[in-house]
mmCIF file of all heavy atoms in Angstrom:
data_model
loop_
_atom_site.group_PDB
_atom_site.id
_atom_site.type_symbol
_atom_site.label_atom_id
_atom_site.label_comp_id
_atom_site.label_asym_id
_atom_site.label_seq_id
_atom_site.Cartn_x
_atom_site.Cartn_y
_atom_site.Cartn_z
ATOM 1 N N SER A 1 0.847 -1.187 0.000
ATOM 2 C CA SER A 1 0.000 0.000 0.000
ATOM 3 C C SER A 1 0.886 1.241 0.000
ATOM 4 O O SER A 1 2.089 1.179 0.259
ATOM 5 C CB SER A 1 -0.913 0.007 1.227
ATOM 6 O OG SER A 1 -0.132 -0.015 2.418
ATOM 7 N N VAL A 2 0.285 2.386 -0.310
ATOM 8 C CA VAL A 2 1.026 3.649 -0.384
ATOM 9 C C VAL A 2 0.433 4.626 0.622
ATOM 10 O O VAL A 2 -0.786 4.841 0.644
ATOM 11 C CB VAL A 2 0.948 4.248 -1.807
ATOM 12 C CG1 VAL A 2 1.600 5.629 -1.851
ATOM 13 C CG2 VAL A 2 1.616 3.311 -2.811
ATOM 14 N N GLU A 3 1.280 5.214 1.441
ATOM 15 C CA GLU A 3 0.826 6.217 2.414
ATOM 16 C C GLU A 3 0.634 7.541 1.692
ATOM 17 O O GLU A 3 1.492 8.017 0.960
ATOM 18 C CB GLU A 3 1.858 6.366 3.531
ATOM 19 C CG GLU A 3 1.335 7.114 4.756
ATOM 20 C CD GLU A 3 1.334 8.639 4.573
ATOM 21 O OE1 GLU A 3 2.205 9.146 3.819
ATOM 22 O OE2 GLU A 3 0.466 9.319 5.176
ATOM 23 N N TRP A 4 -0.554 8.155 1.887
ATOM 24 C CA TRP A 4 -0.885 9.402 1.202
ATOM 25 C C TRP A 4 -1.663 10.293 2.162
ATOM 26 O O TRP A 4 -2.829 10.048 2.435
ATOM 27 C CB TRP A 4 -1.721 9.089 -0.039
ATOM 28 C CG TRP A 4 -1.997 10.279 -0.916
ATOM 29 C CD1 TRP A 4 -2.924 11.256 -0.712
ATOM 30 C CD2 TRP A 4 -1.364 10.600 -2.160
ATOM 31 N NE1 TRP A 4 -2.898 12.165 -1.730
ATOM 32 C CE2 TRP A 4 -1.959 11.793 -2.642
ATOM 33 C CE3 TRP A 4 -0.349 9.998 -2.904
ATOM 34 C CZ2 TRP A 4 -1.564 12.377 -3.840
ATOM 35 C CZ3 TRP A 4 0.042 10.588 -4.101
ATOM 36 C CH2 TRP A 4 -0.561 11.763 -4.557
ATOM 37 N N ASN A 5 -0.992 11.298 2.669
ATOM 38 C CA ASN A 5 -1.627 12.261 3.580
ATOM 39 C C ASN A 5 -2.374 11.572 4.725
ATOM 40 O O ASN A 5 -3.525 11.901 5.036
ATOM 41 C CB ASN A 5 -2.595 13.158 2.807
ATOM 42 C CG ASN A 5 -1.885 14.051 1.806
ATOM 43 O OD1 ASN A 5 -0.714 14.387 1.976
ATOM 44 N ND2 ASN A 5 -2.583 14.427 0.747
ATOM 45 N N GLY A 6 -1.711 10.623 5.351
ATOM 46 C CA GLY A 6 -2.295 9.931 6.498
ATOM 47 C C GLY A 6 -3.207 8.777 6.141
ATOM 48 O O GLY A 6 -3.702 8.081 7.039
ATOM 49 N N ARG A 7 -3.441 8.559 4.859
ATOM 50 C CA ARG A 7 -4.271 7.442 4.413
ATOM 51 C C ARG A 7 -3.391 6.326 3.874
ATOM 52 O O ARG A 7 -2.300 6.571 3.343
ATOM 53 C CB ARG A 7 -5.238 7.888 3.316
ATOM 54 C CG ARG A 7 -6.435 8.688 3.814
ATOM 55 C CD ARG A 7 -7.265 9.159 2.644
ATOM 56 N NE ARG A 7 -8.659 9.334 3.005
ATOM 57 C CZ ARG A 7 -9.570 9.863 2.199
ATOM 58 N NH1 ARG A 7 -9.228 10.238 0.982
ATOM 59 N NH2 ARG A 7 -10.821 9.989 2.600
ATOM 60 N N GLU A 8 -3.879 5.117 3.977
ATOM 61 C CA GLU A 8 -3.184 3.960 3.429
ATOM 62 C C GLU A 8 -3.975 3.515 2.200
ATOM 63 O O GLU A 8 -5.107 3.037 2.315
ATOM 64 C CB GLU A 8 -3.112 2.844 4.463
ATOM 65 C CG GLU A 8 -2.240 1.680 4.053
ATOM 66 C CD GLU A 8 -2.140 0.637 5.153
ATOM 67 O OE1 GLU A 8 -2.666 0.888 6.254
ATOM 68 O OE2 GLU A 8 -1.542 -0.435 4.903
ATOM 69 N N LEU A 9 -3.365 3.666 1.015
ATOM 70 C CA LEU A 9 -4.085 3.457 -0.229
ATOM 71 C C LEU A 9 -3.643 2.194 -0.960
ATOM 72 O O LEU A 9 -2.455 1.848 -0.969
ATOM 73 C CB LEU A 9 -3.902 4.662 -1.148
ATOM 74 C CG LEU A 9 -4.324 6.027 -0.594
ATOM 75 C CD1 LEU A 9 -4.120 7.105 -1.650
ATOM 76 C CD2 LEU A 9 -5.774 5.998 -0.118
ATOM 77 N N ILE A 10 -4.633 1.539 -1.595
ATOM 78 C CA ILE A 10 -4.371 0.371 -2.419
ATOM 79 C C ILE A 10 -5.078 0.545 -3.764
ATOM 80 O O ILE A 10 -5.698 1.571 -4.034
ATOM 81 C CB ILE A 10 -4.828 -0.936 -1.733
ATOM 82 C CG1 ILE A 10 -6.328 -0.859 -1.404
ATOM 83 C CG2 ILE A 10 -4.004 -1.206 -0.487
ATOM 84 C CD1 ILE A 10 -6.898 -2.174 -0.872
ATOM 85 N N ASP A 11 -4.999 -0.470 -4.571
ATOM 86 C CA ASP A 11 -5.530 -0.496 -5.937
ATOM 87 C C ASP A 11 -6.922 0.131 -6.053
ATOM 88 O O ASP A 11 -7.863 -0.282 -5.372
ATOM 89 C CB ASP A 11 -5.587 -1.959 -6.404
ATOM 90 C CG ASP A 11 -5.731 -2.082 -7.905
ATOM 91 O OD1 ASP A 11 -6.425 -1.254 -8.513
ATOM 92 O OD2 ASP A 11 -5.148 -3.025 -8.469
ATOM 93 N N GLY A 12 -7.042 1.117 -6.951
ATOM 94 C CA GLY A 12 -8.332 1.749 -7.165
ATOM 95 C C GLY A 12 -9.374 0.806 -7.714
ATOM 96 O O GLY A 12 -10.581 1.043 -7.580
ATOM 97 N N GLY A 13 -8.919 -0.288 -8.340
ATOM 98 C CA GLY A 13 -9.852 -1.255 -8.888
ATOM 99 C C GLY A 13 -10.700 -1.940 -7.845
ATOM 100 O O GLY A 13 -11.786 -2.452 -8.157
ATOM 101 N N VAL A 14 -10.252 -1.954 -6.609
ATOM 102 C CA VAL A 14 -11.022 -2.580 -5.536
ATOM 103 C C VAL A 14 -12.326 -1.825 -5.312
ATOM 104 O O VAL A 14 -13.392 -2.428 -5.117
ATOM 105 C CB VAL A 14 -10.198 -2.622 -4.230
ATOM 106 C CG1 VAL A 14 -11.048 -3.146 -3.077
ATOM 107 C CG2 VAL A 14 -8.948 -3.486 -4.422
ATOM 108 N N ALA A 15 -12.271 -0.498 -5.350
ATOM 109 C CA ALA A 15 -13.458 0.315 -5.108
ATOM 110 C C ALA A 15 -14.137 0.755 -6.400
ATOM 111 O O ALA A 15 -15.367 0.783 -6.484
ATOM 112 C CB ALA A 15 -13.095 1.546 -4.280
ATOM 113 N N ASN A 16 -13.315 1.085 -7.425
ATOM 114 C CA ASN A 16 -13.907 1.641 -8.643
ATOM 115 C C ASN A 16 -12.885 1.591 -9.767
ATOM 116 O O ASN A 16 -12.209 2.575 -10.043
ATOM 117 C CB ASN A 16 -14.378 3.080 -8.398
ATOM 118 C CG ASN A 16 -15.244 3.609 -9.522
ATOM 119 O OD1 ASN A 16 -15.478 2.936 -10.517
ATOM 120 N ND2 ASN A 16 -15.725 4.826 -9.358
ATOM 121 N N ASN A 17 -12.803 0.469 -10.442
ATOM 122 C CA ASN A 17 -11.774 0.294 -11.462
ATOM 123 C C ASN A 17 -12.061 1.091 -12.733
ATOM 124 O O ASN A 17 -11.145 1.489 -13.444
ATOM 125 C CB ASN A 17 -11.633 -1.178 -11.822
ATOM 126 C CG ASN A 17 -10.439 -1.440 -12.726
ATOM 127 O OD1 ASN A 17 -9.308 -1.363 -12.286
ATOM 128 N ND2 ASN A 17 -10.699 -1.733 -13.986
ATOM 129 N N THR A 18 -13.329 1.317 -13.030
ATOM 130 C CA THR A 18 -13.710 2.103 -14.199
ATOM 131 C C THR A 18 -14.471 3.321 -13.697
ATOM 132 O O THR A 18 -15.700 3.322 -13.650
ATOM 133 C CB THR A 18 -14.574 1.271 -15.164
ATOM 134 O OG1 THR A 18 -13.951 -0.001 -15.369
ATOM 135 C CG2 THR A 18 -14.726 1.970 -16.499
ATOM 136 N N PRO A 19 -13.751 4.368 -13.288
ATOM 137 C CA PRO A 19 -14.343 5.469 -12.512
ATOM 138 C C PRO A 19 -15.230 6.420 -13.309
ATOM 139 O O PRO A 19 -14.952 7.618 -13.439
ATOM 140 C CB PRO A 19 -13.126 6.175 -11.931
ATOM 141 C CG PRO A 19 -12.026 5.883 -12.893
ATOM 142 C CD PRO A 19 -12.291 4.518 -13.439
ATOM 143 N N ILE A 20 -16.310 5.884 -13.851
ATOM 144 C CA ILE A 20 -17.283 6.718 -14.554
ATOM 145 C C ILE A 20 -17.839 7.777 -13.609
ATOM 146 O O ILE A 20 -18.006 8.944 -13.982
ATOM 147 C CB ILE A 20 -18.422 5.850 -15.114
ATOM 148 C CG1 ILE A 20 -17.878 4.867 -16.151
ATOM 149 C CG2 ILE A 20 -19.517 6.716 -15.726
ATOM 150 C CD1 ILE A 20 -18.895 3.848 -16.625
ATOM 151 N N SER A 21 -18.124 7.367 -12.378
ATOM 152 C CA SER A 21 -18.709 8.289 -11.403
ATOM 153 C C SER A 21 -17.803 9.483 -11.153
ATOM 154 O O SER A 21 -18.277 10.625 -11.001
ATOM 155 C CB SER A 21 -18.980 7.554 -10.086
ATOM 156 O OG SER A 21 -17.777 7.000 -9.556
ATOM 157 N N GLN A 22 -16.495 9.252 -11.113
ATOM 158 C CA GLN A 22 -15.555 10.346 -10.886
ATOM 159 C C GLN A 22 -15.545 11.317 -12.065
ATOM 160 O O GLN A 22 -15.485 12.539 -11.881
ATOM 161 C CB GLN A 22 -14.148 9.786 -10.650
ATOM 162 C CG GLN A 22 -14.003 8.942 -9.402
ATOM 163 C CD GLN A 22 -14.024 9.770 -8.128
ATOM 164 O OE1 GLN A 22 -13.961 10.989 -8.165
ATOM 165 N NE2 GLN A 22 -14.123 9.104 -6.991
ATOM 166 N N ALA A 23 -15.609 10.785 -13.269
ATOM 167 C CA ALA A 23 -15.636 11.643 -14.453
ATOM 168 C C ALA A 23 -16.901 12.503 -14.477
ATOM 169 O O ALA A 23 -16.851 13.689 -14.809
ATOM 170 C CB ALA A 23 -15.544 10.791 -15.721
ATOM 171 N N VAL A 24 -18.025 11.899 -14.108
ATOM 172 C CA VAL A 24 -19.284 12.657 -14.048
ATOM 173 C C VAL A 24 -19.175 13.763 -13.013
ATOM 174 O O VAL A 24 -19.575 14.905 -13.246
ATOM 175 C CB VAL A 24 -20.467 11.719 -13.719
ATOM 176 C CG1 VAL A 24 -21.727 12.519 -13.410
ATOM 177 C CG2 VAL A 24 -20.728 10.765 -14.883
ATOM 178 N N GLU A 25 -18.618 13.441 -11.848
ATOM 179 C CA GLU A 25 -18.465 14.434 -10.784
ATOM 180 C C GLU A 25 -17.558 15.579 -11.212
ATOM 181 O O GLU A 25 -17.745 16.728 -10.786
ATOM 182 C CB GLU A 25 -17.917 13.762 -9.529
ATOM 183 C CG GLU A 25 -17.867 14.669 -8.314
ATOM 184 C CD GLU A 25 -17.431 13.925 -7.059
ATOM 185 O OE1 GLU A 25 -17.841 12.752 -6.893
ATOM 186 O OE2 GLU A 25 -16.691 14.505 -6.256
ATOM 187 N N LEU A 26 -16.596 15.286 -12.075
ATOM 188 C CA LEU A 26 -15.673 16.315 -12.555
ATOM 189 C C LEU A 26 -16.266 17.146 -13.698
ATOM 190 O O LEU A 26 -15.624 18.058 -14.196
ATOM 191 C CB LEU A 26 -14.368 15.660 -13.022
ATOM 192 C CG LEU A 26 -13.461 15.136 -11.898
ATOM 193 C CD1 LEU A 26 -12.415 14.183 -12.448
ATOM 194 C CD2 LEU A 26 -12.791 16.292 -11.158
ATOM 195 N N GLY A 27 -17.474 16.799 -14.104
ATOM 196 C CA GLY A 27 -18.169 17.614 -15.100
ATOM 197 C C GLY A 27 -18.135 17.101 -16.519
ATOM 198 O O GLY A 27 -18.567 17.809 -17.445
ATOM 199 N N ALA A 28 -17.638 15.898 -16.740
ATOM 200 C CA ALA A 28 -17.581 15.355 -18.102
ATOM 201 C C ALA A 28 -18.987 15.115 -18.638
ATOM 202 O O ALA A 28 -19.835 14.554 -17.947
ATOM 203 C CB ALA A 28 -16.781 14.063 -18.123
ATOM 204 N N GLN A 29 -19.232 15.539 -19.864
ATOM 205 C CA GLN A 29 -20.528 15.337 -20.510
ATOM 206 C C GLN A 29 -20.506 14.131 -21.443
ATOM 207 O O GLN A 29 -21.538 13.528 -21.706
ATOM 208 C CB GLN A 29 -20.920 16.593 -21.293
ATOM 209 C CG GLN A 29 -21.046 17.832 -20.412
ATOM 210 C CD GLN A 29 -21.240 19.083 -21.244
ATOM 211 O OE1 GLN A 29 -21.844 19.046 -22.312
ATOM 212 N NE2 GLN A 29 -20.717 20.196 -20.767
ATOM 213 N N ARG A 30 -19.349 13.843 -21.983
ATOM 214 C CA ARG A 30 -19.176 12.643 -22.792
ATOM 215 C C ARG A 30 -18.009 11.865 -22.202
ATOM 216 O O ARG A 30 -16.936 12.416 -21.965
ATOM 217 C CB ARG A 30 -18.869 12.982 -24.251
ATOM 218 C CG ARG A 30 -18.462 11.738 -25.052
ATOM 219 C CD ARG A 30 -18.219 12.012 -26.528
ATOM 220 N NE ARG A 30 -19.432 12.521 -27.134
ATOM 221 C CZ ARG A 30 -19.643 13.802 -27.353
ATOM 222 N NH1 ARG A 30 -18.727 14.682 -27.016
ATOM 223 N NH2 ARG A 30 -20.765 14.220 -27.891
ATOM 224 N N ILE A 31 -18.199 10.596 -21.977
ATOM 225 C CA ILE A 31 -17.168 9.785 -21.337
ATOM 226 C C ILE A 31 -16.859 8.587 -22.222
ATOM 227 O O ILE A 31 -17.728 7.753 -22.485
ATOM 228 C CB ILE A 31 -17.622 9.309 -19.940
ATOM 229 C CG1 ILE A 31 -17.977 10.509 -19.060
ATOM 230 C CG2 ILE A 31 -16.525 8.462 -19.286
ATOM 231 C CD1 ILE A 31 -18.617 10.130 -17.744
ATOM 232 N N TYR A 32 -15.627 8.521 -22.678
ATOM 233 C CA TYR A 32 -15.153 7.352 -23.412
ATOM 234 C C TYR A 32 -14.599 6.376 -22.383
ATOM 235 O O TYR A 32 -13.600 6.654 -21.720
ATOM 236 C CB TYR A 32 -14.072 7.752 -24.417
ATOM 237 C CG TYR A 32 -14.591 8.569 -25.578
ATOM 238 C CD1 TYR A 32 -14.661 9.959 -25.497
ATOM 239 C CD2 TYR A 32 -15.029 7.951 -26.741
ATOM 240 C CE1 TYR A 32 -15.146 10.710 -26.555
ATOM 241 C CE2 TYR A 32 -15.520 8.704 -27.806
ATOM 242 C CZ TYR A 32 -15.572 10.072 -27.707
ATOM 243 O OH TYR A 32 -16.064 10.817 -28.757
ATOM 244 N N VAL A 33 -15.249 5.249 -22.272
ATOM 245 C CA VAL A 33 -14.873 4.254 -21.268
ATOM 246 C C VAL A 33 -14.016 3.186 -21.931
ATOM 247 O O VAL A 33 -14.485 2.466 -22.815
ATOM 248 C CB VAL A 33 -16.114 3.625 -20.612
ATOM 249 C CG1 VAL A 33 -15.706 2.631 -19.529
ATOM 250 C CG2 VAL A 33 -17.016 4.713 -20.034
ATOM 251 N N LEU A 34 -12.775 3.080 -21.480
ATOM 252 C CA LEU A 34 -11.845 2.097 -22.033
ATOM 253 C C LEU A 34 -11.720 0.955 -21.027
ATOM 254 O O LEU A 34 -10.768 0.862 -20.256
ATOM 255 C CB LEU A 34 -10.478 2.731 -22.302
ATOM 256 C CG LEU A 34 -10.323 3.563 -23.584
ATOM 257 C CD1 LEU A 34 -11.329 4.697 -23.649
ATOM 258 C CD2 LEU A 34 -8.909 4.106 -23.695
ATOM 259 N N SER A 35 -12.717 0.100 -21.042
ATOM 260 C CA SER A 35 -12.786 -0.955 -20.043
ATOM 261 C C SER A 35 -12.017 -2.194 -20.486
ATOM 262 O O SER A 35 -12.115 -2.621 -21.635
ATOM 263 C CB SER A 35 -14.250 -1.337 -19.786
ATOM 264 O OG SER A 35 -14.324 -2.483 -18.975
#
């Protein structure tokens, strides 16, 4: 794991490997998903 600002982080794929939700939150209107 990687320590990041007091957090212990592991593979993003465990929680959200294809982060469509993050792109939407960032304001993307069209999302090309490379799954």
Side-chain angles (χ1 to χ4, degrees):
S1 59
V2 174
E3 194 280 330
W4 186 282
N5 294 334
R7 284 176 152 173
E8 188 177 354
L9 303 182
I10 58 173
D11 197 324
V14 174
N16 192 358
N17 188 72
T18 312
I20 297 172
S21 59
Q22 296 287 350
V24 170
E25 187 175 322
L26 287 164
Q29 300 172 32
R30 171 177 299 99
I31 303 172
Y32 290 89
V33 182
L34 280 57
S35 171

